[in-house]
Amino acid sequence: MNKVTTPKSFRVKSFGCQMNVYDGERMAELLGAQGMEAAGEGENADLVVLNTCHIREKAAEKVYSDIGRIVKDWDDDDGSSPLIAVAGCVAQAEGEEIMKRAKDVRMVVGPQAYHRLPEMIGRASAGERVTDTDMPAEAKFGALPARRKRAPSAFLTVQEGCDKFCTYCVVPYTRGAEISRPYGDLIDEAQKLVEQGAREITLLGQNVNAWTGEDAKGRAIGLDGLIRELAKLPDLARIRYTTSHPNDMTDALIAAHGEVEKLMPYLHLPVQAGSDPILAAMNRSHTAESYIRLIERVREARPDIAISGDFIVGFPGETDADFEATLQMVDTIRYAAAFSFKYSPRPGTPAATMGDQIAGDVMDERLQRLQAAITRDQLAFNQASVGKTCQVLVERKGRREGQWLGKTPWLQSAHFTGDYAVGDLVDVELLEAGPNSLSARVC
Ligand code: 5AD
Ligand code: SF4
């Protein structure tokens, strides 16, 4: 076995959802607080953390090819080797398998245990191979250093885990049971993010709208209460939240969409399928009809709201008629944006062993038709925005000289020219629409 160096530089590479992006940022802050430097673009890092996603098969396979690439690129003239850590949901679900299959991996750390990375790195540097996939409920966030993120748009994880057990999904197994972070901690973290320049905060959770807590006076509150409190931070301009489950969409949260000006008019509310027998087999515990009614109520509270969703095609047993019902759902809701995936059997989930798994070519064809319908509606939504005036939060420079890119309240990408800086809120008129972005003119 090669000598392992004590790491001086690190890289954290995150795959998958926004919660992983958040975890990746916090791991980077933790490693920085230990005195390690983030490796620059194209530079080798002594320590590489692959923060993995297990939601679909391809995501897990990518991890193994990445490990191979890191080892190949490493300059081992001095007999050293890189410290590779696999973190995230693949680590949680397949920790032992990874250690067996990828001998170059020195650490496996689950999503609830990454606050212990410094100690693990010490042991791994001494030659040990270390696995920590414990799920200690509250420990992690309290043990992490304070936020150091400087960006106009920041993530804040308020809730983790899931008790819903949709039959296709690994999250209840990899992320564990639903846990809400305490109110006071969240207000503190939000304040720090705002002090460091955040104008927008997106509250994250696998089931974010199931968040519950107690406010400063000890009263029980839900996500709407947290949002109303965050809205009082003077320099915070925008609040978003994702991802929600239809059954946790309370009346109070719906009302907040009509009443809290800083809550942006955008709701990501996955439906997954449009057919009741498939929704039942998925254990979604809502029907197509109840979802449609829910969206109607949200639109009553906030008529201009952009609705986005997630879909799975080719769930076991999905007939042509079931799939037509999904297309019908898209026609009814008219999504401003939506993500669609081919069903991927996840080991250990109930759906993986269901009969009547759908053939790959059938899934391909269904996915294409669904995506065409979604793109059509996305373009229509953007076209309907043309002529509107709104604020855009400037996020980064565009490709052309003087061009800036930012997000509208409806989470559309807009580009415009002018003399601005990242973090500015600029009043624009939306001019021309494509399926993925709009051009704008400063008012
Ligand atoms: N196969 C395909 N898509 C899945 N998703 C979750 N599990 C699976 C799976 N086994 C999708 C759902 C979810 C999104 C994050 O990923 O649509 O909302
Ligand atoms: Fe992937 Fe889900 Fe884990 Fe996020 S929570 S990393 S999407 S498996």
Side-chain angles (χ1 to χ4, degrees):
M1 188 178 48
N2 282 340
K3 175 166 72 79
V4 179
T5 49
T6 307
K8 294 190 187 64
S9 59
F10 71 89
R11 170 172 295 113
V12 179
K13 190 169 170 190
S14 289
F15 303 84
C17 64
Q18 291 154 326
M19 295 194 66
N20 256 15
V21 174
Y22 174 88
D23 286 345
E25 285 169 3
R26 303 233 50 187
M27 281 189 254
E29 287 164 357
L30 176 64
L31 299 173
Q34 301 293 308
M36 285 177 236
E37 292 271 340
E41 193 73 30
E43 275 171 25
N44 271 349
D46 301 336
L47 166 69
V48 181
V49 181
L50 298 173
N51 188 21
T52 61
C53 172
H54 201 242
I55 202 101
R56 285 170 291 277
E57 204 161 12
K58 273 208 193 109
E61 278 310 311
K62 235 182 140 315
V63 178
Y64 290 103
S65 64
D66 257 42
I67 293 167
R69 194 167 326 117
I70 293 162
V71 174
K72 197 168 136 260
D73 290 347
W74 181 260
D75 172 10
D76 64 354
D77 282 354
D78 60 356
S80 64
S81 58
L83 270 183
I84 300 176
V86 177
C89 292
V90 180
Q92 191 67 39
E94 297 180 12
E96 273 174 42
E97 165 88 14
I98 296 166
M99 280 300 196
K100 269 197 230 131
R101 198 171 140 184
K103 294 283 180 237
D104 295 300
V105 171
R106 304 258 143 220
M107 287 168 275
V108 162
V109 56
Q112 298 304 346
Y114 65 78
H115 54 294
R116 298 186 188 140
L117 261 175
E119 185 237 323
M120 296 175 73
I121 292 166
R123 287 164 59 194
S125 302
E128 228 182 300
R129 298 182 82 206
V130 197
T131 299
D132 189 345
T133 47
D134 280 359
M135 288 201 181
E138 298 283 358
K140 178 176 66 183
F141 292 110
L144 292 169
R147 302 301 321 265
R148 294 196 310 176
K149 171 114 181 123
R150 291 188 174 276
S153 180
F155 291 138
L156 171 54
T157 291
V158 304
Q159 180 279 340
E160 287 191 289
C162 179
D163 296 338
K164 301 285 188 291
F165 290 94
C166 299
T167 54
Y168 51 81
C169 187
V170 285
V171 169
Y173 312 96
T174 57
R175 294 268 172 168
E178 280 177 14
I179 292 170
S180 295
R181 289 182 66 194
Y183 169 84
D185 294 4
L186 298 173
I187 300 291
D188 285 352
E189 192 171 326
Q191 259 160 355
K192 293 225 168 60
L193 289 167
V194 172
E195 277 161 24
Q196 284 157 12
R199 310 298 316 274
E200 171 176 280
I201 292 183
T202 302
L203 308 177
L204 297 181
Q206 267 100 21
N207 254 303
V208 72
N209 59 342
W211 183 88
T212 54
E214 277 182 9
D215 69 8
K217 296 199 175 108
R219 289 174 301 211
I221 55 167
L223 189 69
D224 56 291
L226 180 63
I227 289 170
R228 286 179 196 274
E229 202 53 40
L230 290 172
K232 293 180 189 160
L233 292 175
D235 292 328
L236 183 64
R238 295 175 158 197
I239 303 169
R240 303 179 183 278
Y241 63 94
T242 194
T243 290
S244 297
H245 190 286
N247 290 8
D248 291 316
M249 214 56 221
T250 60
D251 292 347
L253 185 54
I254 294 174
H257 274 285
E259 291 163 11
V260 182
E261 213 181 313
K262 291 183 181 180
L263 181 57
M264 290 292 102
Y266 188 95
L267 175 65
H268 182 64
L269 196 64
V271 65
Q272 313 297 358
S275 132
D276 285 341
I278 294 295
L279 287 170
M282 287 177 162
N283 192 31
R284 288 289 295 173
S285 60
H286 62 78
T287 62
E289 185 66 20
S290 70
Y291 178 87
I292 292 167
R293 293 280 155 268
L294 186 55
I295 298 294
E296 280 172 0
R297 285 171 47 222
V298 174
R299 283 183 166 146
E300 274 164 29
R302 181 78 206 223
D304 68 333
I305 198 163
I307 303 293
S308 106
D310 287 343
F311 290 92
I312 296 176
V313 300
F315 185 82
E318 186 187 70
T319 63
D320 285 338
D322 291 324
F323 176 65
E324 292 301 327
T326 293
L327 290 177
Q328 186 60 50
M329 176 64 80
V330 173
D331 287 350
T332 306
I333 302 295
R334 291 166 285 108
Y335 287 91
F339 305 91
S340 47
F341 312 100
K342 286 190 272 187
Y343 168 71
S344 164
R346 305 286 66 216
T349 59
T353 49
M354 285 179 185
D356 204 4
Q357 301 276 327
I358 306 300
D361 55 341
V362 176
M363 283 209 237
D364 288 338
E365 202 245 347
R366 287 180 186 169
L367 187 69
Q368 259 185 26
R369 287 181 62 199
L370 178 58
Q371 288 185 339
I374 290 168
T375 308
R376 172 202 69 200
D377 290 350
Q378 215 163 286
L379 178 62
F381 184 86
N382 288 347
Q383 281 169 337
S385 305
V386 169
K388 278 190 190 176
T389 53
C390 66
Q391 279 199 326
V392 171
L393 177 61
V394 180
E395 292 187 347
R396 59 190 168 89
K397 280 191 169 147
R399 248 178 275 143
R400 265 181 269 135
E401 182 68 30
Q403 192 186 45
W404 292 96
L405 298 181
K407 291 276 162 46
T408 71
W410 307 280
L411 208 62
Q412 297 146 305
S413 291
H415 51 89
F416 54 95
T417 49
D419 192 12
Y420 296 102
V422 167
D424 285 349
L425 279 161
V426 182
D427 288 310
V428 301
E429 182 191 349
L430 300 170
L431 293 181
E432 251 180 281
N436 298 312
S437 66
L438 291 126
S439 63
R441 176 177 57 208
V442 176
C443 295

